[in-house]
Amino acid sequence: MKALIFGAAAAAAVLTGCASTGKVAPQYINPNTYQSYDCQSLQSEVSRIAKLVEQTQNQQVGLSASGIGIGLTGGRHGIYPSISLGMGAGSGQRAAKQNTLSRLYGEHDAMVVSARQKGCAFAQGMKIYGE
């Protein structure tokens, strides 16, 4: 019985994790920005933004070299040369990716809200990232 409950809880956690946007919160963008768009324009913009979100999520943030140090080190056995390589995780690239995703999520949300206000058919069952 405990295994069944544990399995159900694990499955729920996995499914919840798939539906979320991770740690990136959508940036607020006013839906009134898109009030001049008609339903067809909004639908094409929403699909364009969805493609950009997918491309941005698939970008790999690689390691970046942050410097090479050459020096002398002393110890119990004398003085000897040392070389150190500084490898970072590309925190600037990671922050840029998160900012881009946040902006894209916000634009998507604003377009869907605007489409719902106009009564566009494509937006009726569509979820926004903030829901």
Side-chain angles (χ1 to χ4, degrees):
M1 184 68 176
K2 287 183 181 181
L4 180 63
I5 292 172
F6 179 73
V14 168
L15 292 176
T16 303
C18 292
S20 69
T21 60
K23 296 180 182 180
V24 181
Q27 178 182 353
Y28 176 75
I29 295 179
N30 194 344
N32 291 334
T33 307
Y34 302 102
Q35 286 299 316
S36 63
Y37 289 51
D38 62 346
C39 288
Q40 185 177 5
S41 299
L42 283 169
Q43 186 175 10
S44 66
E45 284 296 306
V46 166
S47 65
R48 183 184 67 83
I49 292 293
K51 288 178 188 174
L52 286 173
V53 165
E54 185 179 341
Q55 290 173 354
T56 305
Q57 286 174 339
N58 292 335
Q59 284 179 346
Q60 298 295 323
V61 177
L63 294 176
S64 62
S66 59
I68 297 174
I70 300 174
L72 296 173
T73 302
R76 292 175 64 180
H77 302 290
I79 298 174
Y80 49 92
S82 68
I83 298 174
S84 62
L85 301 173
M87 298 298 283
S91 62
Q93 292 175 346
R94 187 172 34 255
K97 180 179 176 179
Q98 288 179 345
N99 289 339
T100 301
L101 283 173
S102 176
R103 181 182 50 79
L104 290 172
Y105 291 159
E107 287 179 11
H108 179 271
D109 288 357
M111 286 181 212
V112 171
V113 168
S114 180
R116 286 179 184 172
Q117 290 171 349
K118 290 179 181 282
C120 298
F122 79 92
Q124 297 308 319
M126 188 176 286
K127 286 193 164 215
I128 60 175
Y129 291 107
E131 290 181 333

